[in-house]
């Protein structure tokens, strides 16, 4: 089996191993995943070519899942310019690392009383860069593929199965935030 087949397996193993405790050290998980992404960038690009060429819009692919301690690992495919709504992660901890391309991530904090969301910062994630959040129901973010013409691919690790979450939208002219429940779908399972 070529190296390009093993890289996804290595990322999967790192995610499973680091999350084998109730409160994983997300910074060190992100660092280790980032190191493999840098080291094996060509192999990874080759392995992910079928996902980049599918042209099926935004897709989530399952790489691993476990129930105790709960974790799900996904690869997401981002068409050029794809922008998510502002969304939460159902109170799960989470981590995302760019595999190919570049994303912008705007982080928000939600006031649990008023329901207002306030932007806290903005990060740009190139290959191997990561961002993470602890299990906080009031954390939200919005992500965008920064490229006008290339697909981006990212790796996501969550402390559970993120089947539903809330998307938030600011309604004019009052500027009030509304939320609606979203269900996430899986395009398929990735073999390693
Ligand atoms: Fe997210």
């Amino acid at each position: 089996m070529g190296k390009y087949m093993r890289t996804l397996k290595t990322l999967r193993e790192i995610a499973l191993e680091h999350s084998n405790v109730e409160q994983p050290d997300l910074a060190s998980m992100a660092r280790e995943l980032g190191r493999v992404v840098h080291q094996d960038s060509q192999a990874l690009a080759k392995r992910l070519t079928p996902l980049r060429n599918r042209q099926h819009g935004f897709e989530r692919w399952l790489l691993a899942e476990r129930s105790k301690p709960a974790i799900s690992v996904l690869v997401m495919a981002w068409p050029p310019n794809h922008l998510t709504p502002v969304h939460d992660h159902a109170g799960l901890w989470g981590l995302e690392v760019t595999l190919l391309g570049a994303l912008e991530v705007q982080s928000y904090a939600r006031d649990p009383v008023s329901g207002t969301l306030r932007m806290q910062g903005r990060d740009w994630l190139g290959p191997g860069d990561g961002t993470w959040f602890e299990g906080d129901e009031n954390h939200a973010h919005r992500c965008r593929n920064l490229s006008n013409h290339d697909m981006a691919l990212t790796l996501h690790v969550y402390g559970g199965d993120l089947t539903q979450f809330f998307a938030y939208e600011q309604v004019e002219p009052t500027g009030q935030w509304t939320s609606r429940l979203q269900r996430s779908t899986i395009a398929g399972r990735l073999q390693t």
Side-chain angles (χ1 to χ4, degrees), residues 133-164:
F133 42 89
E134 306 296 337
D136 174 359
E137 287 187 352
N138 295 308
H139 170 84
H141 69 195
R142 161 171 245 186
C143 308
R144 178 167 69 98
N145 179 356
L146 284 168
S147 174
N148 291 327
H149 38 80
D150 290 325
M151 292 285 289
L153 288 153
T154 52
L155 181 82
H156 299 244
V157 187
Y158 300 116
D161 187 7
L162 188 59
T163 49
Q164 50 185 38

Side-chain angles (χ1 to χ4, degrees), residues 10-170:
T10 305
L11 294 173
R12 179 184 188 274
E13 280 166 4
I14 292 169
L16 286 167
E17 193 179 308
H18 277 257
S19 60
N20 208 7
V21 288
E22 281 303 316
Q23 301 268 309
D25 180 344
L26 300 179
S28 71
M29 195 192 320
R31 211 162 38 233
E32 193 147 339
L33 291 168
R35 187 178 55 76
V36 172
V37 172
H38 282 296
Q39 204 171 282
D40 294 348
S41 59
Q42 285 185 355
L44 199 54
K46 195 170 171 189
R47 170 64 182 87
L48 296 172
T49 298
L51 293 193
R52 285 154 74 199
N53 292 344
R54 275 171 56 83
Q55 311 214 328
H56 269 228
F58 178 73
E59 287 186 318
R60 304 164 81 252
W61 291 84
L62 190 64
L63 186 59
E65 60 185 338
R66 186 183 59 204
S67 54
K68 270 189 184 173
I71 174 184
S72 60
V73 187
L74 299 125
V75 172
M76 299 194 195
W78 303 70
N81 291 320
H82 183 82
L83 172 70
T84 69
V86 179
H87 61 276
D88 66 18
H89 303 85
L92 302 177
W93 60 258
L95 176 157
E96 69 184 60
V97 173
T98 299
L99 301 176
L100 284 171
L103 284 197
E104 178 193 60
V105 180
Q106 297 175 359
S107 301
Y108 290 80
R110 181 172 177 273
D111 183 321
V113 179
S114 67
T116 301
L117 285 106
R118 194 166 38 82
M119 193 163 96
Q120 290 196 304
R122 202 189 286 256
D123 293 301
W124 290 273
L125 310 181
D129 294 336
T131 183
W132 54 91
F133 42 89
E134 306 296 337
D136 174 359
E137 287 187 352
N138 295 308
H139 170 84
H141 69 195
R142 161 171 245 186
C143 308
R144 178 167 69 98
N145 179 356
L146 284 168
S147 174
N148 291 327
H149 38 80
D150 290 325
M151 292 285 289
L153 288 153
T154 52
L155 181 82
H156 299 244
V157 187
Y158 300 116
D161 187 7
L162 188 59
T163 49
Q164 50 185 38
F165 57 90
F166 283 101
Y168 301 93
E169 198 179 357
Q170 202 166 17

